[in-house]
Amino acid sequence: MDAIILQILNGLDKGSAYALIALGLTLIFGTLGVVNFAHGALFMIGAFCAVTLNKILNLSFETVDPSRTDFLGNPMVVKTPYVEGWFGPEVGASIIDWSVPLSILFCIPIMLAVGFIMERGLIKHFYRRPHADQILVTFGLAIVLQELIKHYFGANQIATPAPDVFRGSFDFGAMLGMDPNVIIYPYWRLVYFAFAALVIGGVFAFLQFTTFGMVVRAGMADRETVGLLGINIDKRFTIMFALAAVVAGMAGVMYAPINSPNYHMGMDFLVLSFVVVVVGGMGSLPGAVLAGFLLGILESFASMNEIKSLIPGIDQIIIYLAAIFILLARPRGLMGRKGVMED
Amino acid sequence: MSKHLTRRGLIKTGVIGGAGLAVPTIFTGAANAFTNEPAGGTVTLGFNVPQSGPYADEGADELRAYQLAVEHLNGEGDGGMLNTFSSKALEGNGILGKKVEYVTGDTQTKSDAARASAKSMIEKDGAVMITGGSSSGVAVAVQGLCQEAGVIFMAGLTHSNDTTGKDKKANGFRHFFNAYMSGAALAPVLAAQYGTDRKAYHLTADYTWGWTQEESIKAATEALGWETVNTVRTPLAATDFSSYITPILQTDADVLILNHYGGNMVNSLTNAVQFGLRDKMVNGKQFEIVVPLYSRLMARGAGENVKGIFGSTNWHWSLQDEGSKAFVKSFGTKYGFPPSQAAHTCYVQTLLYADAVQRAGSFNPCAVGEALVGGDSSIEGIDSPANKGYLFDGLGNGQVLYRAADHQCFKDVLVVKGKDNPTSEFDLLEVVEQTPVQQVWYEPDNPMFAGGNLGSCNAGA
């Protein structure tokens, strides 16, 4: 029982990352009709916003401490971050400690700009080209972006810890009157889940309850008619692209403390996120979210030892296996509707 | 013009020309006594390191070490370990009087790409020796290629037992230690620190290195009384290990052994710490985590989480012997930071190769191989017919035996621990114990290394 609860929690946690990325992918596919293989790179750039802000806050002035020596026997150069110099050691240290949550604010303008430049500068020219062309150009763009990141940040992972107060785990078992230390879950992962729920809720509310969202939804359903009504739908779609970039970027920022970012973390998520989109139903936002959580939970259960001992290697293929069965039963995906995204 | 160029003629010329181009130079070098016999005043070495992909930073450090070694061999710079090396055959005027030049290839940490780049360096650039790499899969693949091509392979960072076990080759040589040695060195320290009544749970990367690492540390800890609760294989491509870590909470295991390297290690260790494993008490004991093979370069990615965690390493820059000090000084002065263990093993392998050529008086791979592991010297305190090979000192690990039986180096192994109070960004690990070579010795027919055959050396041509 404990094991099942824990794996459900794991699944919800993995699922939130899948859902956040798949949500952005579906937004772009639904609005612009572009299959964006560079979406994983946006997630990665988000995580590197957290790395960058952490580096900026750690910019230091150097003082020489003659009482200590470095590895070559020269006097040790001691680095003190400027923020600690300006605000005092305690305030400075806690600003650095909170760099990941602060990065959320830092990433929003950056991701808006990246999204805007990407759409206006490159992807716009591929709207009327076949999907194969779009896949090639966005995949190429993803490789360029990750090589750029590798050039500046190196290939190794960079530790980007969460604030101290979120270290450690929450004991669900003890709260429910069970044995302590059995059902525990890391605080930051719970924060990630809550954050994902908030963002997903926010996007849905934005599309559902604002005029802008209504126009976008109308455009998704019938682009031509909306255009005939005199609405500049392209401009709104560009904004949606930038918004999807921000969603992916924020997902990346919050993910940085879970697994230290490196340049190919986007690719690791990308393929899975496409499976999520297809399983959820092309163009269906609720479908993407549902499929994200569903596949996340399935993946977690498949890595349980009891199941692995029955079917070795099941943890590596479960997502694709599930996708096959779901698509056989429902060729349009879980929540795909007839006529949507079909020629 | 078109009158002379007939269709038939064109096809004929094309076929002959194509066939000529298609024949690898390996088979056309019949005039030479061996593959890529250096002509003129220079000799070319091939440095095959990961320059792209997830191990690129480690590859970059290997390349720095190679460039430093070439400088020292050619008599430039401060000479580094040439001054401390027990063999004095090298004179700082290249190898056999030939100036050392080099070409580089990118392994991408993929066996296919590594073989292709090694092949190109041998066939197109005339490399007489190939060295480098940061993965056992790559080492085994390139070693096989060098055996066929008739050049020497001086392995870089490769830790699987198989490299000098079931996949050993006469043309291949390894200075780096292996999974068996890690287990043998680490287990007694773990028993002393955590007691002999422990229950271990293994997470293992699902490929050649992970399997041999798991087998080795499991055998070594079980011999000291530990019980193995479970061994779980994780996909190499896994990034989030939470669903492999939560089942540990349900068992009565009190030690987690992470047979992971690189990105796998950084993530699984970070995840394990996030799930509070290190704060957990099981069976009245503090829960512990062990990382059998440390890479300082990559451990940085795990940040604070490495503090207090035991593992093993081939070499560390804080060692205070003369060889290590000389190497750290040359490397640190040139590049501004201390070298990694990958850099060290690559530097040493280059010097050892050059020294063997110098002593053999020839670049012929069979003569060089003979010199690399030849001789009747042996390590004191080990009574075994296999205790025979080339003994050297002054390259940073104390006395080292290049064993003739399987072309594996035998030397002391460092047991290290994540440092609690690092004084700099390089100061991540502290050496806890230098396990003497006698304790990590094994016979060539040890079951973990069985099944392979060195074969005979191939000089190509």
Side-chain angles (χ1 to χ4, degrees), chain B residues 366-378:
Chain B
C366 292
V368 177
E370 186 75 32
L372 267 168
V373 296
D376 278 330
S377 16
S378 55

Side-chain angles (χ1 to χ4, degrees), chain A residues 10 157 259-260 263 305 308 315, chain B residues 53 201 233 244 246 267 301:
Chain A
N10 275 333
Q157 288 172 288
N259 278 323
S260 307
Y263 72 100
N305 297 332
K308 274 184 74 159
D315 48 336
Chain B
Y201 190 107
R233 302 278 161 89
Y244 298 100
T246 42
N267 287 352

Side-chain angles (χ1 to χ4, degrees), chain A residues 8 57 166 193 216 290 296 312 334:
Chain A
I8 289 177
L57 292 175
F166 294 113
F193 176 67
V216 169
L290 178 71
L334 289 173

Side-chain angles (χ1 to χ4, degrees), chain B residues 63 66 135 145 221 309 311 404:
Chain B
L63 207 51
Y66 283 131
S135 138
L145 176 101
T221 49
I309 289 184

Side-chain angles (χ1 to χ4, degrees), chain A residues 151-226:
Chain A
H151 180 77
Y152 289 106
F153 293 90
N156 283 340
Q157 288 172 288
I158 302 168
T160 317
D164 253 342
V165 290
F166 294 113
R167 299 228 182 119
S169 317
F170 180 71
D171 201 330
F172 278 103
M175 193 183 77
L176 300 170
M178 290 147 75
D179 290 340
N181 272 327
V182 177
I183 307 180
I184 57 174
Y185 215 72
Y187 286 118
W188 188 258
R189 286 180 184 255
L190 295 171
V191 169
Y192 193 82
F193 176 67
F195 174 81
L198 203 71
V199 170
I200 292 168
V203 170
F204 276 94
F206 178 70
L207 289 175
Q208 205 65 39
F209 302 121
T210 63
T211 318
F212 185 96
M214 189 181 71
V215 172
V216 169
R217 277 186 296 128
M220 281 170 85
D222 191 339
R223 186 186 185 125
E224 248 170 73
T225 311
V226 175

Side-chain angles (χ1 to χ4, degrees), chain B residues 75 137 162 195 207 245 429 457:
Chain B
D162 293 348
Y207 75 111
I245 283 168
L429 305 177
C457 89

